[in-house]
């Protein structure tokens, strides 16, 4: 959505294609979109060079999720195990630097090869570290993406 100068109504625009251009050339004086799309880095990547401010009130939620194709159940299981290990590592304060302390009974006594999961954490860190490194500049975790910190009863 774009607030066009001189008009009282919001106008729908092809947000991913033109919103930065419309803000840059003055067609719009305000835009509405997902934080990931209107972050400073995203706007810069789309050619917007001016200054702007982004509101702090969120009118929606942007939970992140991981998706795999359904044609390979073993691959999907492995991806699920990896993301679960990253979540639990964050909960347990196991970081990239301390991956070696991951216990063999990490998942409540379930038998698995803990070495491979230690290697995953040693390579990329826990979920919080991964998010900080790759998403924090464009997408703050906010409450919805901090469910695994154990401070909320929310379930997504």
């Amino acid at each position: 959505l774009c607030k066009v100068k001189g008009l009282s109504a919001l106008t729908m625009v092809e947000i991913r294609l033109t919103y930065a251009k419309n803000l840059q050339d003055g067609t719009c004086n305000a835009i509405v979109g997902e934080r990931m799309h209107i972050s400073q880095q995203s706007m810069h990547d789309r050619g917007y060079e001016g200054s702007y401010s982004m509101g702090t009130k969120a009118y929606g939620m942007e939970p992140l999720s991981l998706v795999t194709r359904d044609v390979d159940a073993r691959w999907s299981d492995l991806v699920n195990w990896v993301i679960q290990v990253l979540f639990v590592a964050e909960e347990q304060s196991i970081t990239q630097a301390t991956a070696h302390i991951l216990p063999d009974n990490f998942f409540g006594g379930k038998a698995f090869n803990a070495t491979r999961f230690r290697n995953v954490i040693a390579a990329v860190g826990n979920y919080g570290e991964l998010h900080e490194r790759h998403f924090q500049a464009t997408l703050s975790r906010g409450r919805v993406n901090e469910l695994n910190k154990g401070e909320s009863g929310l379930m997504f």
Side-chain angles (χ1 to χ4, degrees), residues 45-101:
D45 291 348
R46 286 172 173 74
Y48 182 74
E49 298 297 331
S51 63
Y52 72 100
S53 61
M54 190 162 53
T56 57
K57 179 139 175 98
Y59 294 98
M61 293 187 271
E62 297 177 89
L64 301 177
S65 65
L66 195 65
V67 178
T68 61
R69 295 178 50 177
D70 64 357
V71 296
D72 189 345
R74 290 178 63 189
W75 171 250
S76 294
D77 287 346
L78 177 63
V79 169
N80 184 51
W81 276 99
V82 167
I83 196 69
Q84 293 302 320
V85 165
L86 297 177
F87 289 152
V88 175
E90 182 179 21
E91 288 174 355
Q92 302 289 325
S93 299
I94 297 172
T95 66
Q96 190 171 18
T98 62
H100 63 279
I101 67 169

